[in-house]
Amino acid sequence: MSDVLPSGPEPVPAPPPAKHGWLNFAIDFGPLLVFFLTYKLSSNGDGAFAATAAAIKGTAAFMVAIVIAMAASKWKLGRISPMLWMSSILVLGFGALTIWFHDERFIVMKPTIIYGAFAAMLIGGWWFGKPMLKYLLQSALEGLTEKGWLLLSRNWGLFFAALGIANHVMYELIQAKQMSFDLWLTIKVWGVTALSFLFTLSQVPVMLKNGLAMPEEAAADKS
């Protein structure tokens, strides 16, 4: 997907860059998967205390994993994208609050803030004619016009807004004891990832209509 899109436990979704696709995917989703696996493997008891203890262990592992992801991005890609910076700061900040207060609500709150911030940035940029997605990703989709980038920024902004609203609704359901943290985490890891992948595919026609060069065309232009 992108250089990062979201994180987590949330990495934040976006169109894939032309190079290092597997590495970008690992940087985006590796820390989230670490959190998920650590939480599941630590959930070996019953009751709220066991669930909270597992969440704290998962959070600590997630914080370490996001720092490693930043180091890998700097080492292998030569940069740390603005999205990864923002996600990492929030992961570390809310992770510290989760561990300090022993309260998993901070984990659930974080994605809403990340999604809301990205939505405001992308839709605001689109409103003022600035393709913020292009700047945030710090990558190029070969041949894509400024109009194409603007449309992608708007569409991804609306997608992030929808994710933020959905996450807040789930947060309220958890507060009302009508939804479990386990169910939220499963939706976050697998549901949001699947939705992001499908949404990325839905944007391919938009990119093709606005100048995106297919691999064969790009190679032909350079020859």
Side-chain angles (χ1 to χ4, degrees):
M1 297 168 76
S2 82
D3 273 300
V4 154
L5 292 185
S7 232
E10 148 124 323
V12 179
K19 298 180 180 179
H20 304 292
W22 68 269
L23 181 58
N24 280 278
F25 185 84
I27 289 172
D28 286 353
F29 291 99
L32 179 58
L33 187 58
V34 167
F35 174 87
F36 180 79
L37 292 175
T38 304
Y39 174 79
K40 287 298 183 182
L41 292 173
S42 301
S43 300
N44 52 7
D46 296 323
F49 178 79
T52 300
I56 289 173
K57 291 178 182 178
T59 300
F62 188 74
M63 293 169 70
V64 173
I66 200 74
V67 172
I68 293 174
M70 293 177 70
S73 181
K74 181 64 176 179
W75 177 42
K76 299 297 291 186
L77 304 179
R79 58 187 169 78
I80 299 174
S81 73
M83 282 189 171
L84 182 54
W85 270 115
M86 181 176 180
S87 296
S88 299
I89 290 169
L90 289 176
V91 165
L92 296 174
F94 277 82
L97 290 173
T98 301
I99 295 172
W100 181 262
F101 290 105
H102 286 65
D103 193 339
E104 61 194 31
R105 287 181 298 174
F106 291 110
I107 301 173
V108 185
M109 289 166 54
K110 182 180 68 61
T112 300
I113 296 174
I114 291 180
Y115 293 145
F118 285 155
M121 196 179 306
L122 294 174
I123 294 175
W126 166 75
W127 182 265
F128 290 104
K130 300 291 185 182
M132 295 303 296
L133 187 64
K134 180 179 180 181
Y135 307 138
L136 287 174
L137 294 183
Q138 293 187 341
S139 64
L141 295 173
E142 187 121 16
L144 190 64
T145 63
E146 286 294 296
K147 178 184 176 182
W149 276 111
L150 278 172
L151 290 174
L152 285 183
S153 294
R154 180 200 64 187
N155 295 350
W156 276 97
L158 293 173
F159 180 66
F160 281 128
L163 288 180
I165 292 170
N167 194 77
H168 181 69
V169 169
M170 289 190 287
Y171 173 80
E172 293 295 336
L173 290 175
I174 292 173
Q175 291 295 95
K177 307 298 183 183
Q178 296 178 3
M179 184 177 185
S180 68
F181 179 81
D182 272 43
L183 178 57
W184 172 83
L185 183 58
T186 300
I187 293 172
K188 184 72 197 69
V189 174
W190 305 115
V192 173
T193 300
L195 280 175
S196 300
F197 177 74
L198 292 174
F199 187 78
T200 299
L201 290 181
S202 75
Q203 297 306 293
V204 172
V206 175
M207 293 186 283
L208 292 177
K209 288 179 182 178
N210 288 277
L212 179 67
M214 299 301 287
E216 296 82 2
E217 297 173 2
D221 291 341
K222 292 178 181 179
S223 62

